Amino acid sequence: MKFPFDLSITLVFRLLLPGAVLAVALTPLMDGWARAFGRELALEAALPIAAIIFGWIVVLLDQPIYMAFEGRRYWPSQIRKLGLWLEKRRLKHIKAEEAKNLPDSVEWSLRTLDFPLSHSGDREAIYPTRLGNLLAAVERYPTQMYGIDGVFYWYRIWPQLDKDLRGEIDQSQAVADSGLYVSACLAFSALLGFGYLLMGLPRFADYPAVDMPLLPAPGVLFGGSLAALLAAYVLYRISLSSQRVCGEMFRALFDVYRDKLSFIDGVVSIATAKGAGDPGTDQRQKYMTAWRFLRWYRVRAAGATANHKPT
């Protein structure tokens, strides 16, 4: 009998580590609920099971977690504006140091790679976080270099890679994912700790919904929540280096394996027959024509600037 999952390093990084953080943070609440129903929580059995369940939930929340850390969604408008202003100021400082032509100017030049290129070819900050700009720079690379939509064509290149290469890339991505997952879980745990403290305030004393004897003393709980919040930020910053490594792998795959997209000519022929302009031998236009047809079911006539439904 084969298990539906493999106990691999990717499972540990993506599921078990963040799940364990949440399981520990939620143990007082789970124990309180068990006592409310006249039961006693068996920690030695409950914690491993809870870690797996919570870790699975975190994996399911992969996209919302990334969007929050990138600053694409869930940010109040004023805080987002502040973060974007800080990122623009950071980029301006990096460019100023790069322009000084000091011995370490190469290092400053490399830091500009964490920002996406604008249409004019200059680096710009478009998101309020370091991760958001870093991933934007990575995802824009195939489009700017080859006319390939990076996110769309990534799923067409991935199945054609050999198993060993896919495994190596997946392990590297698992490390990067784990940093963000655990950081998110630590931040949630810190907020939960502050919530535990609020439940102990006098205004809530007359409405004790759940008795939680496993909670530490208020001073310990407050200090632990602050420590978890700080650890979440530190881990997020540390994980950026892993995100850069994955970003370089992403760029390299399009540099080396874009010829694996052998179906492009066939799709272009279909799109051309349905009203798209013939891109001829222009490979960049071929990628764009196929992407437009497959992703949006749209074509663009020769010389036109607007898309329309295939005829």
Side-chain angles (χ1 to χ4, degrees), residues 61 67 235:
L61 292 174
M67 287 193 295
L235 188 58

Side-chain angles (χ1 to χ4, degrees), residues 11 63 129 148 151 190 214 218 220 243 252 276 286 291 302:
L11 180 71
Q63 189 172 16
T129 68
I148 303 175
V151 177
L214 293 183
V220 176
Q243 295 288 347
K286 285 184 178 181
W291 166 77

